[in-house]
Amino acid sequence: MKTLSDHVSALVPQLQAWRRDLHQFAESGWLEFRTATRVAETLHRLGYQLKLGREVINAEARMGLPDAEVLNAQETRALAQGALPQWLPHFSGGFCGIVATLETGRPGPVMGFRVDMDALDLNESQAADHLPVREAFASCNAGMMHACGHDGHTAIGLGLATVLKAMEDRLSGTIKIIFQPAEEGVRGAKSMVEAGVVDDVDLFTAIHLGTGVPAGEIVCGSDSFLATTKLDVEFIGTAAHAGARPEAGRNALLAAAQATLALHGLTQHSGGVARVNVGVLQAGSGRNVVADHALMKVETRGANNAINDEVYQQALRVITGAAAMYGVESQVKLMGAARSCTPTQPWVEFIYQQAQQLGEFSSVLDRKEESAGSEDATYMLERVKQRGGQASYVIFGCELAAGHHNAKFDFDEQVMATAVKTLATLALNQAQFSVQR
């Protein structure tokens, strides 16, 4: 009988093939049409029960959705690049989510594993020393690049599905593998949570590779994510001739500039880390015209949900006040959000124990607590915890060619096999967790 190691070793070439195919045809958030159809086909062939698109995504809870013209154009592009037409209708309109379920028929908990599928809005480096260029799998889509490892995450999810199906007779309970769209900009998880995809999950694990964790190391429970809110702000004023009648204008540019300066003064909080950043400011139409329109792209962050919520409310007051100062209107649109969340200690300890016994890691850490970016899988962790389940966020360290969100990002593909083996071990041994508790 084949061991887990046998199954994973045999899968290594396929993991690389999946990852490189996804990397070459990178797709940004809510536009993962080709990716989702390919994932669905693989899971269907493996024999998983599938829920797709609107079944697993609450339309009203989506954030930062591209407009209809972009969605339609990218769906057409995906078809031309090999999206499978039999699956595409499920994902049309930006509903690119998948939940694959394996019912073992034996009593046991519901285990949930979450991986994300989207690329970043970034042009990939074309330098000759960039491995995806050298080996001909760099992104062919302008402004879209897997620069955070989500291509690897998706491949890990497919690898996990393959191994668990092959070892189904050794499993108990139910396995759910969640393939999430639009993690970048923290836009997608909340809509899947609102659709109820983790409401029945007892043991939940989300994953990431890299994030500054050294190769050979695993973090079994990350507390490193800041709560965040992403918003687009429009200031709408009145245009006028800047020389002849400036008093007839209402200057949206000045309102946005005033708001920008004031927002960056909101970063002090005695309760912990707080952040505000205005990353984009666009305004005006000509040098001799009082600007009647301005757009700001803003984010707030906090060490915990309470801090972020307070900073966000302060930011809204600043925006309203700046608009009032210059007699313009302001409109705020929520584009993304994520929460802070602490993993449940019993599940972290179990992951730690299993990782140590695997012998795959040079270092096994139970926690990573320093503040970093944000991650919307925290919505899933929180929902599982609220309903009495166990949840954690696991980071697999690996060597990176460049930092995350860098045009030359790439990772050592060996980490994918290690991740599949670790996650499969949790599923195969979950009965031990119930006994220990």
Side-chain angles (χ1 to χ4, degrees), residues 252-264:
L253 184 156
L254 290 180
Q258 182 71 46
T260 297
L261 293 174
L263 286 169
H264 278 269

Side-chain angles (χ1 to χ4, degrees), residues 49-61:
Q49 302 170 33
L50 299 183
K51 288 190 174 182
L52 310 169
R54 288 171 173 80
E55 294 179 293
V56 296
I57 291 176
N58 182 307
E60 288 71 33

Side-chain angles (χ1 to χ4, degrees), residues 203-222:
L203 304 172
F204 177 80
T205 307
I207 68 161
H208 210 296
L209 58 82
T211 73
V213 176
E217 190 165 288
I218 182 175
V219 177
C220 302
S222 179

Side-chain angles (χ1 to χ4, degrees), residues 19 92 101 124 128 140 162 165 178-179 214 301 385 409 419:
R19 181 260 164 158
S92 184
T101 301
E124 184 158 11
C140 64
T162 303
K165 186 63 179 177
I178 300 164
F179 293 81
R301 299 189 199 240
K385 288 171 59 180
F409 176 88

Side-chain angles (χ1 to χ4, degrees), residues 267-274 307 310:
T267 55
Q268 295 184 0
H269 199 290
S270 64
V273 171
I307 293 172
E310 184 175 336

Side-chain angles (χ1 to χ4, degrees), residues 342-383:
T342 301
T344 52
Q345 190 60 28
W347 188 234
V348 172
E349 291 174 356
F350 182 74
I351 297 170
Y352 181 89
Q353 175 198 79
Q354 296 297 310
Q356 280 192 317
Q357 292 176 358
L358 265 182
E360 295 278 334
F361 303 100
S362 58
S363 178
V364 180
L365 303 179
D366 60 345
R367 295 279 177 160
K368 177 186 178 186
E369 297 180 351
E370 65 270 20
S371 297
S374 302
E375 165 52 276
D376 68 352
T378 51
Y379 276 113
M380 297 185 182
L381 271 74
E382 279 205 329
R383 179 63 67 91

Side-chain angles (χ1 to χ4, degrees), residues 15 32 89 130 155 199 236 257 357 371 392 426 436:
L15 287 169
E32 306 94 333
H130 183 46
D199 284 356
I236 303 165
Q357 292 176 358
S371 297
S392 190
L426 299 181
Q436 289 174 8

